[in-house]
Amino acid sequence: MKNLNLLLIFIILLSLGSCQSDSETPTEVKVDNTIQTGKLSGKVMSQNGTKPIGGASIFTFDEKYKIYYTTSDAEGNFTLEAPAGNQTIHIQTGNGSNFRTQIATIVKKNETVTLNANQTKLNQVAKIAYLEGSFDKIEDIIQSLGYNATLITNADLANINTIAQYDIIFLNCGSRKYITNQSLYPAIDANLAIFVANGGSIYASDWDVSYLVGGTDYTSSCSPAGGFVPDTKLCSNNTGNSGIIPATVNNAGLSTALGFNTLNIDFDLGTWQKITNYDPTYWEVLVKETSSNSPLMIRTNHFTATGIPATPIGNAPNSTFTTVCITLPGNIQISISVPTITVPYLVALGATVGPCSGTTNSGYIYYTSFHNHATGNIGNAGVILQYVILNL
């Protein structure tokens, strides 16, 4: 019995020793991988510093290429959370291929650094051209923002080598009537198709829908001869009446950038082009008549055509930036332009090359049934047209 008791005591002591040994084993040290961040605030302005830019994308990446992203409000103001340390901040509109700025700055941990106005000006990287119109002067709005555009002619449109130098072409209402040599029509139609299919963007207003779908000065029926946009995609008749038209902004991003979603548009000519039929899978309606829901401003980047030659357009051949689509939390997709050297790393994280919507190589076509004359009484439509300029 005594030996049995001694054995039990020995086992108990051994057990206690074992417990003591476990308690002295060091616990695992967990490494905190949380990235230290700070904030940057600022105000996105046009290149001449006179106009705030709403709806601009502001972003940067951490060392693992995770994106930190925000947008500017209608007054151009933004606050971006970003990794602490030396960072390159990108400011862009549209998909960043035509207007963008890069800022080298230091983000301070747990602090907010305010960027100055010279840093946050949105720079023009696109080459822009325009045609003289009878009623419109989009060039005045472009210049009021501090950007540059070159005057070209319809004869230039007939020369693909000339227009391929540009990234954006603005077609002022009434410019088509200056085509005195109607033999130029086929070449102009073909060249605009080549231009857009290879990434160039165009904007046309009112009567200049005829560049898109055919006709001479304007279109008075569906399916006129000429044009480069398929007749099944758009029909516009010159049947609109003069007067004030209540309108609604139909695009959430545009409404946020503008700071309003309703406006009155002054149609100050006797007649204007009324969109009577369009393909909603091809065109996005940005602004519409409030009463009838008829489109007043549309855009597409779905243009394709067979037999289009691959033609370098504008700055594309020399660009060190590539457009990619990135999905943000909440399944929100954004199209931005990033340094080409970063593309493989972003693709590895799920980004795709090309814009988030539309045809990969297609540029944008914007069309407004209302005018863009900077000296006329266009009211809030002028702010909409600033958005058009910066988002082509």
Side-chain angles (χ1 to χ4, degrees):
M1 180 64 68
K2 182 178 180 180
N3 291 337
L4 181 59
N5 290 335
L6 290 174
L7 179 60
L8 289 172
I9 292 171
F10 177 79
I11 293 173
I12 291 171
L13 290 174
L14 184 62
S15 175
L16 290 174
S18 176
C19 291
Q20 180 68 25
S21 176
D22 286 345
S23 67
E24 291 177 352
T25 301
T27 56
E28 181 180 355
V29 177
K30 294 183 179 180
V31 178
D32 185 4
N33 291 318
T34 302
I35 295 176
Q36 301 296 323
T37 63
K39 292 181 179 180
L40 296 171
S41 67
K43 189 180 186 75
V44 182
M45 301 294 291
S46 60
Q47 193 161 275
N48 60 5
T50 63
K51 302 286 186 181
I53 304 300
S57 296
I58 303 97
F59 62 92
T60 191
F61 300 96
D62 65 21
E63 60 184 10
K64 295 182 179 180
Y65 295 95
K66 173 188 173 183
I67 191 170
Y68 292 73
Y69 177 88
T70 192
T71 57
S72 60
D73 65 17
E75 298 301 319
N77 298 309
F78 69 88
T79 299
L80 175 70
E81 182 178 15
N86 295 318
Q87 298 296 341
T88 299
I89 309 301
H90 302 266
I91 300 176
Q92 302 181 356
T93 52
N95 64 19
S97 60
N98 293 321
F99 294 90
R100 62 173 179 263
T101 294
Q102 292 184 88
I103 305 164
T105 189
I106 298 176
V107 180
K108 298 180 180 180
K109 183 177 67 174
N110 298 330
E111 294 185 27
T112 298
V113 174
T114 301
L115 299 172
N116 65 55
N118 286 328
Q119 291 175 295
T120 56
K121 291 179 181 178
L122 182 66
N123 294 326
Q124 172 184 347
V125 296
K127 295 178 180 177
I128 301 175
Y130 71 94
L131 268 73
E132 181 182 5
S134 297
F135 310 105
D136 288 2
K137 285 192 172 184
I138 193 71
E139 63 272 21
D140 287 355
I141 302 178
I142 295 170
Q143 291 165 7
S144 74
L145 298 170
Y147 302 116
N148 301 310
T150 300
L151 174 65
I152 62 173
T153 66
N154 281 292
D156 291 325
L157 288 185
N159 186 332
I160 188 60
N161 292 326
T162 298
I163 67 172
Q165 301 174 53
Y166 299 99
D167 300 279
I168 300 171
I169 298 175
F170 290 93
L171 306 169
N172 280 315
C173 176
S175 64
R176 194 166 173 90
K177 80 173 188 178
Y178 293 116
I179 304 178
T180 55
N181 181 0
Q182 294 193 3
S183 66
L184 294 179
Y185 283 152
I188 290 173
D189 295 343
N191 289 345
L192 288 176
I194 293 169
F195 182 76
V196 176
N198 285 279
S201 292
I202 65 174
Y203 162 74
S205 64
D206 198 15
W207 283 9
D208 272 10
V209 71
S210 54
Y211 281 102
L212 308 183
V213 297
T216 52
D217 285 7
Y218 51 83
T219 61
S220 56
S221 63
C222 295
S223 304
F228 70 97
V229 173
D231 292 329
T232 57
K233 305 299 183 185
L234 181 64
C235 177
S236 175
N237 294 328
N238 190 41
T239 58
N241 297 318
S242 62
I244 303 295
I245 303 295
T248 301
V249 179
N250 198 52
N251 175 275
L254 173 58
S255 178
T256 300
L258 300 175
F260 58 84
N261 57 16
T262 60
L263 70 155
N264 291 325
I265 300 177
D266 184 8
F267 287 87
D268 58 350
L269 295 180
T271 58
W272 49 275
Q273 291 288 153
K274 196 173 183 66
I275 296 173
T276 58
N277 187 43
Y278 71 101
D279 183 347
T281 65
Y282 189 83
W283 296 97
E284 178 187 6
V285 177
L286 299 178
V287 180
K288 62 182 181 180
E289 285 189 57
T290 302
S291 59
S292 66
N293 288 326
S294 297
L296 298 175
M297 174 178 170
I298 56 178
R299 72 176 174 188
T300 185
N301 62 342
H302 290 275
F303 179 75
T304 59
T306 58
I308 297 290
T311 304
I313 296 297
N315 287 316
N318 302 316
S319 179
T320 58
F321 281 72
T322 299
T323 300
V324 298
C325 176
I326 293 180
T327 302
L328 301 176
N331 205 33
I332 299 171
Q333 291 189 316
I334 56 168
S335 298
I336 55 175
S337 289
V338 298
T340 302
I341 58 173
T342 67
V343 170
Y345 305 101
L346 296 173
V347 169
L349 293 177
T352 56
V353 177
C356 297
S357 63
T359 304
T360 299
N361 295 324
S362 174
Y364 270 105
I365 303 170
Y366 274 75
Y367 172 68
T368 61
S369 60
F370 50 86
H371 283 206
N372 58 54
H373 42 89
T375 56
N377 182 26
I378 56 176
N380 282 342
V383 187
I384 291 177
L385 293 165
Q386 291 175 17
Y387 177 90
V388 171
I389 292 166
L390 297 173
N391 284 271
L392 279 165

